[in-house]
Amino acid sequence: MAKVTRDDVARLAGTSTAVVSYVINNGPRPVAAGTRERVLNAIKELGYRPDRVAQAMASQRTDLIGLIVPDARQPFFAEMAHAVEQAAAERGKMVLVGNSDYADEREVHYLRAFLGMRVSGLILISQGPSEHAATEIDAWDARVVLLHRRPDAIDDVAVVLDDIGGAQRVTAHLLGHGHAYVACLGGVDSTPESGDPVTDHVTGWRQAMAEAGLPTEGRLFKAPYNRYDAYKVALELLAGPERPPAIMCATDDQAIGVLRAARELRIDVPGELAVAGFDDVKEAGLTDPPLTTVGSDREAMARAAVDLAIGDSENGGNGPSDRLRQFPAALRIRRSCGC
């Protein structure tokens, strides 16, 4: 059987191949409702399937968006990836996802792979990006949007959260319960000193402590971001002679690890220990007790990132305020803090 072509669709619908293209690609020119219906009926009758590879070769761009995350196993990144996929689908795009595993070489690997596929845009959740990644981006002259991390320069396109303000608010909330001080579970040795959300969470904690006239020395503890390793750090911290009265964790996964350690050590939360996290992953409302945390409008952030990645003329712009979009952080108060 001969392959059905766009010419065949146009002939059956009684229109031009250009109009068939406008219907298939939903633009760039509008098509009258009656004409669109004839084209869609012809496509269905003939069983026509657009050749996406040929389209990409002709336009130098595909209908794909690349998304690189540190670790899709972590709930926050999984939920953010899902939100990006939903926002992309609303715009007729598909998403390719790669896990960098917090490794620069893997991040560069996915950058090269996705940009080589001529994606419409690329969204990068990164600890860097590294010099190698930045060089790769410059070499391809690509539209790359940083998501969840503040850029080092205003020229970078980014969608971020008010991480410092959110951490400051949740720490102040814990102090408002009358605790002598609040300890902080921060990042690891490899956590960047600036721009990284976890670093900003620690900064917000420091600011809230300073405003309360409290020292932070000896009250910041390093912990991996995943639950199990944070649980092991918390076991040692909570079993020690100077157990903190309250802990602000840089991520919800860390906080969930702390709650598990407290239960194992028979420490009452929030009676003997108040705990708060950051990210508001779905499991935060299901812990025992439910976790007080800091959340964001992930769907709105994902839509903004997708619009910037594909250069949406209606939603994206070129000015500084358009290239760097900061979303507010919201305090989600539950029982782990003592409320």
Side-chain angles (χ1 to χ4, degrees), residues 38 96 103 119 169 215 266 269 275 294 296:
R38 291 204 313 273
L96 299 174
V119 294
R169 285 183 62 192
R266 300 182 183 276
V269 178
V275 180
V294 178
S296 61

Side-chain angles (χ1 to χ4, degrees), residues 56-329:
M57 291 176 66
S59 66
Q60 296 297 304
R61 283 290 181 268
T62 65
D63 57 0
L64 301 173
I65 292 175
L67 172 64
I68 303 176
V69 300
D71 187 352
R73 294 171 300 179
Q74 294 183 18
F76 173 80
F77 296 124
E79 291 177 20
M80 184 61 80
H82 184 267
V84 168
E85 186 176 11
Q86 291 294 103
E90 292 171 4
R91 289 147 181 79
K93 304 291 182 182
M94 294 181 289
V95 179
L96 299 174
V97 181
N99 288 267
S100 69
D101 288 331
Y102 295 98
D104 290 343
E105 62 272 14
R106 286 185 63 82
E107 185 172 273
V108 172
H109 164 76
Y110 280 115
L111 276 169
R112 287 175 179 164
F114 290 166
L115 294 174
M117 294 176 187
R118 295 293 182 181
V119 294
S120 297
L122 197 147
I123 300 172
L124 179 60
I125 303 178
S126 172
Q127 281 192 291
S130 66
E131 287 187 18
H132 293 301
T135 300
E136 201 70 32
I137 292 169
D138 289 340
W140 284 92
D141 189 25
R143 179 88 165 173
V144 177
V145 179
L146 298 179
L147 178 59
H148 185 54
R149 183 185 189 277
R150 288 188 295 112
D152 295 325
I154 196 65
D155 288 340
D156 290 319
V157 182
V159 176
V160 299
L161 183 68
D162 180 13
D163 290 288
I164 294 176
Q168 187 175 11
R169 285 183 62 192
V170 73
T171 303
H173 180 78
L174 289 173
L175 290 170
H177 280 281
H179 300 298
Y181 69 92
V182 175
C184 179
L185 230 59
V188 293
D189 290 331
S190 60
T191 303
E193 295 182 358
S194 66
D196 185 82
V198 169
T199 304
D200 287 348
H201 299 169
V202 174
T203 298
W205 165 76
R206 289 188 187 278
Q207 290 183 1
M209 291 282 282
E211 289 173 1
L214 298 171
T216 58
E217 185 177 355
R219 293 171 176 175
L220 172 62
F221 302 92
K222 295 178 181 179
Y225 306 132
N226 68 81
R227 301 176 188 187
Y228 182 71
D229 288 329
Y231 151 77
K232 290 193 293 184
V233 171
L235 275 179
E236 184 176 349
L237 173 63
L238 298 181
E242 297 184 4
R243 186 180 74 212
I247 301 178
M248 194 283 286
C249 300
T251 71
D252 280 352
D253 275 353
Q254 290 174 328
I256 292 171
V258 171
L259 290 176
R260 178 66 182 87
R263 177 176 289 274
E264 189 168 311
L265 295 171
R266 300 182 183 276
I267 298 171
D268 177 59
V269 178
E272 299 173 273
L273 172 70
V275 180
F278 203 113
D279 288 335
D280 195 25
V281 299
K282 292 189 183 303
E283 291 95 326
L286 301 177
T287 57
D288 186 19
L291 181 65
T292 291
T293 183
V294 178
S296 61
D297 189 342
R298 269 193 278 279
E299 288 74 20
M301 293 179 69
R303 286 193 294 269
V306 168
D307 288 339
L308 287 168
I310 64 178
D312 190 304
S313 58
E314 293 182 1
N315 300 299
N318 295 316
S321 62
D322 294 315
R323 297 171 68 86
L324 178 61
R325 301 188 185 178
Q326 185 179 77
F327 284 75

Side-chain angles (χ1 to χ4, degrees), residues 27-50:
R29 294 185 180 179
V31 177
T35 304
R36 175 181 290 276
E37 185 176 357
R38 291 204 313 273
V39 171
L40 292 175
N41 287 337
I43 289 172
K44 182 177 181 180
E45 182 177 336
L46 295 172
Y48 173 65
R49 295 293 181 269

